[in-house]
Amino acid sequence: MNQNNREEAIDLEALKKDPQFQENLKRLEGEMKAERSIAKGYQLLDAKLLTEADQEEINEIFTFIVNEAFDRLAELLSRGEKFDMADPEQWATARAVYEHGIQRYSENDLKGAREIFLILYYLITEKELRDAMMIHSAAVAAGHDFDSFIENLADVRSINPNDATAFFITSFVQPPDILLQMFAKEVAEGEALLAKMEENSKASNEE
């Protein structure tokens, strides 16, 4: 272990025992629950992962984030609204839904993953992110499993960790417009599914 690594380990141990830091975590957890804040949930999760907290604590925060995100998603859909990605809470909600979609994809739940990517495409207004979500959905529909998507389509090497959208895969081995043309059949199927969903939603709201 070099000097820098030793100092890092010492700092981490000191942080775990720092009463002020622990107090801040408790306050953050209280605010997260009181405000139902997904953004604060991610802040707490990052801190818990940094200090290598108990897996049960980490799982509990993950569960809160996912449950809250899908509640918000249902509210947005019922109100016919779109994500405002400039709002930290809505951005965090979209991130949580996306990460859940990626998890389903990696677990080979292709139907569930495709639906989540399509719904994100439907609710996101930023062109780069929208196109990326449609490429995700079309890749699933075209038969790419998760490993194939990561190895053959996504360009994960170009991800900038300082970019706020880095949690979303938006870089690909081909320009997005070319991929969307390549997946024209799957894109058309996705658009048709969304049109049907919107039609069903309007019909149920009118009843």
Side-chain angles (χ1 to χ4, degrees):
M1 184 184 278
N2 65 32
Q3 182 65 29
N4 285 346
N5 285 347
R6 273 202 302 274
E7 284 175 6
E8 204 172 289
I10 292 164
D11 287 346
L12 191 54
E13 286 307 311
L15 203 56
K16 288 180 188 178
K17 294 170 185 170
D18 183 346
Q20 185 63 51
F21 179 73
Q22 294 303 325
E23 190 59 39
N24 287 343
L25 287 190
K26 281 183 188 170
R27 178 180 52 75
L28 186 58
E29 184 173 5
E31 289 173 358
M32 172 192 85
K33 289 176 178 173
E35 299 167 20
R36 295 173 56 202
S37 172
I38 297 170
K40 287 185 176 177
Y42 272 119
Q43 288 175 27
L44 183 63
L45 183 64
D46 287 343
K48 294 283 186 182
L49 288 168
L50 175 69
T51 54
E52 298 165 344
D54 183 78
Q55 191 60 44
E56 197 173 316
E57 288 181 57
I58 289 166
N59 289 344
E60 192 179 316
I61 301 165
F62 263 127
T63 302
F64 168 85
I65 287 171
V66 172
N67 289 347
E68 197 60 49
F70 277 89
D71 284 349
R72 301 263 183 92
L73 188 68
E75 288 168 14
L76 271 180
L77 287 168
S78 69
R79 293 197 302 261
E81 295 176 3
K82 306 279 184 182
F83 277 121
D84 174 5
M85 299 296 269
D87 179 329
E89 276 302 315
Q90 293 202 26
W91 185 90
T93 303
R95 173 188 167 184
V97 173
Y98 173 72
E99 288 178 347
H100 188 69
I102 287 290
Q103 183 184 343
R104 287 201 183 183
Y105 198 2
S106 69
E107 292 169 354
N108 215 33
D109 175 6
L110 302 185
K111 182 176 181 292
R114 187 185 185 199
E115 286 172 357
I116 287 173
F117 298 142
L118 273 177
I119 286 171
L120 285 170
Y121 166 80
Y122 178 72
L123 291 177
I124 289 171
T125 56
E126 285 77 1
K127 181 171 169 41
E128 184 186 22
L129 272 179
R130 285 191 91 229
D131 286 350
M133 293 306 99
M134 182 54 86
I135 290 167
H136 281 62
S137 168
V140 177
H144 286 274
D145 63 16
F146 181 70
D147 289 340
S148 168
F149 174 77
I150 294 296
E151 289 167 17
N152 302 319
L153 293 174
D155 181 12
V156 291
R157 292 166 304 173
S158 69
I159 291 174
N160 176 3
N162 299 316
D163 180 358
T165 62
F167 296 104
F168 298 85
I169 295 171
T170 57
S171 295
F172 302 93
V173 293
Q174 297 272 9
D177 56 341
I178 290 177
L179 285 174
L180 290 168
Q181 285 171 19
M182 282 170 52
F183 290 131
K185 174 175 166 284
E186 290 79 14
V187 169
E189 287 171 357
E191 294 279 15
L193 280 172
L194 285 172
K196 191 173 180 183
M197 181 191 81
E198 194 167 24
E199 197 177 298
N200 292 340
S201 173
K202 281 178 183 171
S204 63
N205 285 341
E206 285 168 5
E207 285 175 4

